[in-house]
Amino acid sequence: MNRFLLALFLLLPAISFAQRYKNIDFNSVSSPDGRITVYISVDDGVPYYSVTVDNQPFIKKSRLGFETKGELNLKDNFWALEREKACKKRKPYVWQQPWGENKTIESQCNRLSCGFVKQTRSDRIGPLVLRVDFRVYNDGFAFRYKIYFDDQKNDTILITNELTEFNFANDGTSWSIPANFDSYEYLYREQPLSALDNANTPMTFRTSAGVYGSIHEAALVNFPEMTLLRTDSLRFRAQLASWPDGVKARITRDSIMDFYHWYGFKTPWRSVQIGHQAVDLINSNLILNLNEPCKIEGDLSWIRPMKYIGVWWGMHLGIQSWTMDERHGATTANAIRYIDFAANNNIDAVLFEGWNEGWETWGGRQNFDFTQPYADFDMDSIVRYAATKNIAIISHHETGGNIYNYERQLDRTYQWLEEQGIHCVKTGYAGGLPDGHSHHGQFNVLHYQKVVEMAAAHHITLDVHEPIKPTGLRRTYPNMMTREGVRGMEWNAWSEGNPPAHHEILPFTRMLAGPLDYTPGTFDILFDNTRNLPTHQKWNDNDKGNSRVHTTLCKQLANWVILYSPLQMASDLIENYEGHPCFQFFRDFNPDCDWSRALQGEIGEYVVIVRRAGDRFFLGASTNEEARTVSVPLTFLPRGKKCVATIYADAPDAHWETNPTAYVIEKRTVKRKDVLEIRMAPGGGQAVSFEVKN
């Protein structure tokens, strides 16, 4: 049999060769509840899709495909091949993860796979080069491309542009950060969709028809990140980060071999979460469900959520330094002090930044040594002492963007960490990458993947700063626990800071992608205890002398619940926690969640989230610059049980600007049938722990 036809039969069983179309409404697939329907069509050889929600237009006719270099054309001149018996429906199934907002997750979707072949002559089908797989869930839909090529004709495919479109049927309001292929550390903008020029993803929106949604991507491996560019009134097109030569993605024949000299490459999923309330987006599991199951074999008990403190905030405040000098923060004496505090306060781990040689090279071509401590940081004795206190050490690896230097040391470094008994690493990529590469291009996506796989091989978990954005790969590699990828707490230390509404936007935007190492929990909100210390030095040009945290104290507590991370930090200097009644909330808090639910909220206004860890519940509520009172039914509590609620609330005269540290603490007994009235000051919040009584 002709090798070409054999490949087609193997790839798409039961193809009807009579069904070859150049202009056709090809097929459709709906969500299990029937509310979301995706339609696929081919018009003059160009593939398109469109979407309805509740039988109303949501995304109008939107193009699919790619532009490439060379002879292989992935943008037009296609025929479509339809399966006679497409396997569209998949039964719901439940899967478990070792940690997460929810450890038990249900997945149910309907599927459709569309094959597209090149038109050669009107009477002959050419080679199959493109397939688009669609999945439609009750909480959204997604699609990805599979690109096929014959290794005898194509050694490498060079993608120069992605043509994927999202053509909205209605205008609406959007929340996003600007598209940037090197940083995510921007404040979020609220704009009409029709006024939004470009955006990184997740890009969240509410249409004029009242539908909430968020465009993102899932399973980003060996491909550049996707951003969005508005090309017409309500039409957005995917934009990909480039290699230095302008090529967006290099697909080689050794990517994924399918069969018989034919090779297939899977792109990341292009995803759209959909909800009828804002909190539906937070409660969606779409991104995780689009990723592959865990690839790490064996016992996963070494992957564990932790609370941590660290030697780092003093550097951002300017009272300590990363380098070994008279202001050095990561010293042996300081390490022992932090380990003792952690052991005495039910905290699992301590982070050390500035412990290793190389910080003195900052400002040039940063060259760090990841196994050589500074002379005043006795790693061996610190590790031994921490072990006697049952405290884990989080080792910081700042690369300064020097990827080549880090990769040269990668194998030796992670072997050394394992030998030391260190099983958690915080990586950092501040600074420009070599040779004109961007942080979010295919080159660095491959690097991030190399690191997470190396870490898994040595039983090490990761907290990545200056990362590639999360796309659900924590399901496949659960040692990839948390990431920064946001304008986080440190901006408050040396700039004008983050406004109160920032924290009511993040759960509906950045956090739809995955856990966030925002590092909340600063108690010295006005920096009264550090601003005038003799060791204080200005080190950042953004520092205008008016830096502070723009919340109340109780909102800082609430953010430990709201801004989910399985590695959750108490960010402040430990001196500011000593003897403080509100720190009891963090002592009680458990980041190892079993179940979570966003109860109420509107984007940029307020949010209420509850999480259960074991038999204890933790609730966090926060508001923007407006004072707010919300009524929260306690129906999440167990039936027939009484619970002791410890409530950490803004004082009646609290205000994020004028009186940010005023609080009240109250204990009361509550039941499932009760309603909790949560009063929040401007820029404030409330944190509640519920302990079930026997």
Side-chain angles (χ1 to χ4, degrees), residues 452-694:
V452 75
E453 291 180 13
M454 178 67 72
H458 292 281
H459 286 190
I460 290 169
T461 59
L462 291 176
D463 169 8
V464 183
H465 281 230
E466 295 81 40
I468 189 65
K469 60 193 176 186
T471 58
L473 279 170
R474 58 183 168 125
R475 178 183 181 185
T476 312
Y477 294 93
N479 65 314
M480 178 63 262
M481 300 194 76
T482 190
R483 314 185 194 208
E484 183 197 36
V486 76
R487 184 165 150 140
M489 175 62 79
E490 71 273 14
W491 280 79
N492 296 304
W494 38 256
S495 77
E496 77 280 6
N498 300 328
H502 190 54
H503 312 98
E504 288 69 57
I505 296 175
L506 293 179
F508 301 97
T509 51
R510 159 63 181 83
M511 295 190 67
L512 300 181
L516 172 62
D517 192 33
Y518 186 87
T519 62
T522 297
F523 280 22
D524 184 21
I525 285 175
L526 300 177
F527 305 155
D528 288 335
N529 298 335
T530 56
R531 195 182 302 278
N532 298 316
L533 288 177
T535 57
H536 182 269
Q537 292 183 13
K538 177 180 176 179
W539 67 275
N540 192 301
D541 290 340
N542 289 310
D543 186 355
K544 307 303 180 186
N546 60 349
S547 300
R548 55 156 295 181
V549 179
H550 298 85
T551 73
T552 66
L553 174 61
C554 287
K555 186 172 181 177
Q556 287 296 302
L557 306 183
N559 279 343
W560 280 322
V561 180
I562 295 167
L563 304 180
Y564 172 75
S565 176
L567 301 178
Q568 189 59 282
M569 186 182 201
S571 56
D572 211 340
L573 304 173
I574 58 175
E575 296 91 324
N576 296 323
Y577 296 137
E578 291 279 9
H580 201 301
C582 286
F583 197 62
Q584 186 61 45
F585 183 78
F586 193 69
R587 294 188 187 99
D588 295 335
F589 182 68
N590 186 351
D592 191 6
C593 297
D594 296 296
W595 170 86
S596 298
R597 195 73 178 171
L599 302 176
Q600 299 180 32
E602 287 294 341
I603 306 169
E605 297 180 17
Y606 77 104
V607 66
V608 183
I609 294 177
V610 65
R611 307 190 192 279
R612 178 177 62 82
D615 61 355
R616 199 155 194 168
F617 293 81
F618 301 94
L619 182 145
S622 70
T623 184
N624 58 10
E625 292 84 351
E626 296 184 19
R628 198 178 306 271
T629 298
V630 296
S631 299
V632 178
L634 301 182
T635 52
F636 54 83
L637 293 176
R639 295 180 185 277
K641 296 284 188 178
K642 292 182 179 180
C643 298
V644 176
T646 305
I647 302 168
Y648 301 81
D650 295 323
D653 59 345
H655 192 290
W656 75 270
E657 280 188 300
T658 59
N659 194 19
T661 58
Y663 66 91
V664 292
I665 301 176
E666 176 192 357
K667 283 182 181 280
R668 69 171 75 158
T669 300
V670 296
K671 300 178 183 178
R672 178 184 173 91
K673 66 179 183 180
D674 293 333
V675 175
L676 185 65
E677 295 293 321
I678 296 178
R679 179 194 172 279
M680 295 176 282
Q686 189 170 128
V688 187
S689 65
F690 299 88
E691 185 175 7
V692 179
K693 298 178 68 174
N694 293 328

Side-chain angles (χ1 to χ4, degrees), residues 170-384:
N170 300 289
D171 203 351
T173 304
S174 70
W175 292 266
S176 70
I177 57 173
N180 184 296
F181 293 127
D182 279 303
S183 177
Y184 305 116
E185 298 188 22
Y186 295 94
L187 291 176
Y188 279 80
R189 314 160 297 178
E190 180 179 334
Q191 295 176 285
L193 281 168
S194 56
L196 181 64
D197 290 332
N198 60 67
N200 217 309
T201 68
M203 189 277 281
T204 300
F205 56 88
R206 181 184 62 235
T207 71
S208 58
V211 178
Y212 290 84
S214 186
I215 297 175
H216 191 41
E217 55 185 320
L220 174 55
V221 179
N222 195 10
F223 209 70
E225 82 157 357
M226 177 188 76
T227 65
L228 301 173
L229 174 70
R230 187 167 63 89
T231 59
D232 201 350
S233 176
L234 292 172
R235 188 188 305 269
F236 292 82
R237 193 181 71 202
Q239 291 285 98
L240 303 178
S242 300
W243 289 78
D245 63 0
V247 170
K248 303 297 175 66
R250 287 175 157 81
I251 300 175
T252 58
R253 65 180 181 177
D254 60 354
S255 299
I256 302 175
M257 186 173 76
D258 278 356
F259 48 78
Y260 197 61
H261 299 299
W262 279 77
Y263 293 79
F265 181 89
K266 300 175 184 178
T267 71
W269 294 93
R270 279 61 187 102
S271 63
V272 183
Q273 290 167 273
I274 295 173
H276 297 277
Q277 302 179 75
V279 293
D280 291 342
L281 302 179
I282 301 175
N283 294 326
S284 166
N285 291 312
L286 179 72
I287 300 298
L288 281 174
N289 279 326
L290 291 168
N291 278 265
E292 295 181 7
C294 178
K295 289 187 176 181
I296 303 175
E297 297 180 352
D299 179 21
L300 300 181
S301 61
W302 54 275
I303 302 175
R304 65 186 184 104
M306 297 188 295
K307 295 183 292 187
Y308 74 101
I309 54 175
V311 178
W312 83 293
W313 187 237
M315 289 83 125
H316 284 283
L317 290 172
I319 63 172
Q320 295 174 336
S321 66
W322 283 276
T323 56
M324 194 180 74
D325 56 20
E326 66 281 357
R327 300 168 59 247
H328 194 203
T331 64
T332 302
N334 216 17
I336 298 302
R337 198 164 61 91
Y338 270 71
I339 290 168
D340 285 342
F341 183 86
N344 293 332
N345 288 276
N346 193 31
I347 295 170
D348 305 291
V350 180
L351 161 73
F352 299 109
E353 292 199 10
W355 65 272
N356 60 316
E357 292 188 356
W359 285 92
E360 64 279 358
T361 68
W362 194 272
R365 186 66 172 269
Q366 285 81 250
N367 190 11
F368 295 90
D369 189 320
F370 302 101
T371 60
Q372 185 58 53
Y374 276 124
D376 61 351
F377 190 86
D378 187 344
M379 178 65 86
D380 291 338
S381 67
I382 290 168
V383 168
R384 287 195 300 269

